[in-house]
């Protein structure tokens, strides 16, 4: 039997694109929601592929052939401070900071750029097999996604594979894992074209929970089919979480909240 068919009620809602509201889940995974703390301007032409918070600013990777870049962005105003355009033959993907170096993936080229986070100048390149989607760091290793149900842990110096984990909840596996962020010992991930964030146990790939981000941005404001939730950044010092999307005009600081179930009567 295909394990993808063994979907829990809430997971089925997530992957089938149903429009009804997820209330209670019969599974053990906690469902969380959010509160908007602040809203900031975001370049509406930025096809956000990766987002990090670094020394009071945002660093963003953008995609699309001929438009891909890595940029330092003022959090409050959304102003692009410094920008480095990629070769037009490259499609920019996820970005992360590790041990004083900035890593930016590309989609199909099989190459990651290693940059100086202050100047965005190229330091070196590393190669890998397959697609590049999202990337984050746990402090000792890099973790990458490729749009499947698998995350790969890599050596930061060589980019060679150390181990992999499959994203799952019991027998149910989940793919289209996209942009990644390491938050307080967990891997948080966007799911391609879904208004949810999944929280992943880095030891074994088991889902620790879901964050329901529906209603954050009205997709009717931008009819582009790729104008979807993508981009998670964590300010470790103040525990602030920032999220945005591809081609969104706004970046949001959010507080993640536990869902309070109605009292039994």
């Amino acid at each position: 039997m295909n394990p993808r068919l063994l979907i829990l009620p809430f997971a089925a809602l997530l992957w089938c694109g149903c429009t009804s509201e997820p209330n209670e889940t019969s599974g053990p995974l906690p469902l969380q929601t959010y509160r908007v703390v602040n809203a900031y301007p975001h370049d509406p032409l930025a096809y956000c592929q990766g987002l990090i918070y670094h020394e009071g600013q945002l660093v963003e990777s953008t995609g699309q052939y001929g438009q891909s870049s890595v940029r330092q962005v003022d959090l409050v105003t959304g102003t692009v401070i410094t920008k480095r355009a990629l070769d037009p033959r490259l499609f920019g993907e996820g970005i992360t900071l590790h041990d004083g170096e900035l890593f930016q993936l590309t989609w199909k080229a099989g190459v990651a750029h290693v940059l100086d986070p202050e100047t965005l100048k190229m330091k070196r390149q590393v190669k890998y097999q397959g697609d590049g989607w999202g990337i984050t760091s746990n402090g000792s290793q890099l973790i990458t996604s490729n749009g499947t149900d698998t995350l790969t842990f890599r050596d930061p110096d060589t980019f060679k594979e150390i181990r992999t984990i499959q994203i799952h909840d019991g027998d149910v596996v989940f793919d289209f894992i996209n942009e990644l962020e390491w938050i307080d010992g967990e891997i948080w991930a966007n799911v391609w074209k879904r208004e949810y964030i999944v929280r992943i146990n880095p030891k074994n790939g088991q889902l620790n929970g879901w964050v329901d981000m529906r209603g954050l941005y009205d997709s009717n404001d931008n009819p582009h089919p790729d104008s979807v939730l993508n981009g998670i950044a964590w300010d470790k010092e103040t525990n602030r979480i920032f999220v945005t999307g591809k081609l969104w005009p706004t970046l949001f600081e959010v507080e993640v909240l536990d869902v309070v179930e109605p009292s039994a009567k």
Side-chain angles (χ1 to χ4, degrees):
M1 181 178 292
N2 186 341
R4 296 174 192 272
L5 301 178
L6 302 176
I7 305 295
L8 297 173
F10 179 67
L13 174 66
L14 171 61
W15 257 257
C16 74
C18 301
T19 57
S20 58
E21 294 297 317
N23 296 317
E24 299 179 14
T25 171
S26 60
L29 296 181
L31 170 62
Q32 295 176 292
T33 186
Y34 67 91
R35 178 179 72 88
V36 174
V37 178
N38 285 301
Y40 303 104
H42 179 252
D43 181 358
L45 300 180
Y47 193 89
C48 183
Q49 298 288 76
L51 190 70
I52 62 172
Y53 181 89
H54 176 56
E55 295 185 351
Q57 299 174 352
L58 296 171
V59 183
E60 183 174 11
S61 173
T62 67
Q64 299 285 38
Y65 291 110
Q67 301 177 36
S68 295
S69 70
V70 57
R71 52 181 70 184
Q72 296 169 333
V73 181
D74 181 83
L75 169 63
V76 176
T77 66
T79 302
V80 176
I81 301 167
T82 307
K83 177 180 176 181
R84 179 183 180 277
L86 272 65
D87 184 305
R89 295 170 295 180
L90 299 177
F91 194 116
E93 284 285 347
I95 197 166
T96 196
L97 186 70
H98 178 89
D99 197 21
E101 294 184 318
L102 196 62
F103 289 77
Q104 182 187 29
L105 298 181
T106 56
W107 182 27
K108 295 290 187 181
V111 62
H113 296 159
V114 186
L115 311 173
D116 183 313
E118 308 306 326
T119 64
L120 303 185
K121 290 183 178 179
M122 178 84 74
K123 298 180 64 176
R124 57 192 174 95
Q125 297 185 49
V126 291
K127 295 182 178 181
Y128 54 92
Q129 298 293 320
D131 285 4
W133 283 44
I135 184 171
T136 192
S137 168
N138 63 9
S140 60
Q141 298 169 341
L142 299 173
I143 308 164
T144 61
S145 65
N146 61 6
T148 69
D149 54 25
T150 299
L151 298 183
T152 301
F153 289 70
R154 299 182 181 273
D155 182 290
D157 295 322
T158 65
F159 224 66
K160 290 184 177 179
E161 179 181 315
I162 298 172
R163 68 183 179 97
T164 62
I165 56 175
Q166 184 182 54
I167 311 309
H168 67 283
D169 177 33
D171 292 332
V172 183
V173 296
F174 299 101
D175 54 10
F176 293 105
I177 303 301
N178 198 3
E179 214 269 312
L180 308 176
E181 182 76 1
W182 183 266
I183 298 182
D184 201 21
E186 293 181 325
I187 303 166
W188 289 37
N190 288 125
V191 182
W192 174 235
K193 292 198 173 183
R194 300 300 178 191
E195 295 181 275
Y196 299 84
I197 292 170
V198 290
R199 295 171 36 221
I200 302 165
N201 184 327
K203 294 182 180 180
N204 55 20
Q206 169 68 37
L207 293 189
N208 288 340
W210 315 79
V211 185
D212 183 351
M213 301 301 299
R214 287 176 300 172
L216 181 63
Y217 174 70
D218 187 351
S219 59
N220 292 323
D221 292 342
N222 186 341
H224 194 291
D226 289 349
S227 179
V228 296
L229 179 71
N230 200 60
I232 311 169
W234 182 44
D235 175 8
K236 181 179 179 180
E237 299 302 318
T238 62
N239 201 32
R240 292 184 296 173
I241 296 174
F242 304 96
V243 297
T244 190
K246 302 174 188 290
L247 309 174
W248 284 16
T250 309
L251 177 138
F252 299 92
E253 177 188 344
V254 298
E255 179 185 4
V256 175
L257 306 171
D258 292 333
V259 172
V260 179
E261 296 185 6
S263 301
K265 293 183 180 181

